[in-house]
Amino acid sequence: MELKNAVAVVTGANRGFGRQLAAQLVERGAKVYGAARRPETVDVPGVVPLRLDVTDEASIREAARVASDATLLINNAGISTGASLIGGDVAEVRREMETNFFGPLAVTRSFAPVIEGNGGGAVLNVLSALSWLHPAGLGSYAASKAAAWALTGATRDELAPRGIAVSALHVGYMDTDMAAGVPADQKAAAADVAAQALHGIETGLPEILADETSRQVKQSLSAAPQPKPTRSAARTVTSPASRRN
């Protein structure tokens, strides 16, 4: 897809990675709607602020009406609550799924007819290496991103006949607020990841693996998972009684 003269809608464009995407799209000659719950916080030069809350169906429909010339949708808005699936607050788990899965689904459903009506285009879903790697401490976030990966694959097949390409961007840690506590040498620069994402859209890549972490995790999917012993199993292995025979 040619980005020059494209009309892009970027959710979560008021800060972090979304802000970087919006700025680089403007540099490439695109018209950009910067979508956020509070559009007054979108301050990228050349970007048109757009009110959009991915958990509010009415605001999504209104955004699609306003941005009726859109040809590119980037589903970037997301949250990470740090909730685990067993011990975590179920309300936080639901909030994460509403934002990271149902949000992109609702926005894509509203904008797909718009993009199709404008001659076709593309959708990019910003995902994570945790789409495939599911640590217990980030179980809720990983589950929401795994669901969004499935969403990406299914909508890719459904929207292809309508002239809309659907891609996924996967990355490990990135230098945004969400990874503020991670050492700098473990994080990819948001500007570099944005450049790779836009190049992937231009070249039609279905999956964009933006760093070594995402590449390694994707490659490891073919390996058989190793079982972890339960507490009772561990006691059985180490107790003297288990060694009598």
Side-chain angles (χ1 to χ4, degrees):
M1 176 182 181
E2 176 63 53
L3 293 180
K4 185 178 181 180
N5 299 322
V7 181
V9 174
V10 181
T11 67
N14 56 323
R15 62 190 180 94
F17 186 56
R19 192 176 193 281
Q20 185 63 239
L21 284 167
Q24 291 194 23
L25 280 163
V26 170
E27 292 173 359
R28 290 171 181 249
K31 176 181 177 180
V32 181
Y33 292 98
R37 286 179 297 176
R38 295 171 53 211
E40 68 274 13
T41 62
V42 177
D43 60 357
V44 181
V47 171
V48 180
L50 178 69
R51 183 183 180 277
L52 193 158
D53 180 344
V54 301
T55 65
D56 182 344
E57 291 272 2
S59 83
I60 293 170
R61 290 193 297 270
E62 177 61 13
R65 186 192 68 79
V66 172
S68 59
D69 51 348
T71 59
L72 170 62
L73 169 64
I74 299 183
N75 285 310
N76 165 71
I79 60 170
S80 176
T81 68
S84 65
L85 290 175
I86 303 301
D89 185 340
V90 172
E92 292 291 80
V93 176
R94 291 184 184 278
R95 187 164 72 95
E96 210 152 28
M97 191 65 74
E98 286 290 340
T99 304
N100 297 347
F101 172 74
F102 286 107
L105 173 60
V107 177
T108 301
R109 285 170 64 101
S110 284
F111 274 92
V114 174
I115 296 173
E116 181 182 16
N118 290 323
V123 175
L124 174 71
N125 293 330
V126 177
L127 304 182
S128 169
L130 296 186
S131 303
W132 308 310
L133 178 67
H134 310 138
L138 291 170
S140 177
Y141 181 80
S144 70
K145 289 299 184 179
W149 183 46
L151 158 71
T152 303
T155 55
R156 180 183 298 126
D157 287 351
E158 189 170 354
L159 293 178
R162 297 167 63 176
I164 303 173
V166 180
S167 301
L169 170 69
H170 297 272
V171 63
Y173 292 121
M174 189 165 42
D175 59 349
T176 64
D177 292 346
M178 193 177 288
V182 178
D185 61 355
Q186 297 180 22
K187 296 186 286 190
D192 292 342
V193 177
Q196 291 186 64
L198 298 184
H199 176 73
I201 294 170
E202 286 183 315
T203 56
L205 291 178
E207 284 195 330
I208 303 154
L209 309 182
D211 63 352
E212 188 59 29
T213 298
S214 58
R215 288 187 284 272
Q216 288 179 355
V217 174
K218 178 66 183 294
Q219 187 175 19
S220 73
L221 289 177
S222 59
Q226 298 301 310
K228 294 184 178 180
T230 63
R231 185 179 299 175
S232 59
R235 284 199 300 266
T236 301
V237 170
T238 57
S239 67
S242 69
R243 295 196 294 269
R244 287 176 183 170
N245 295 329

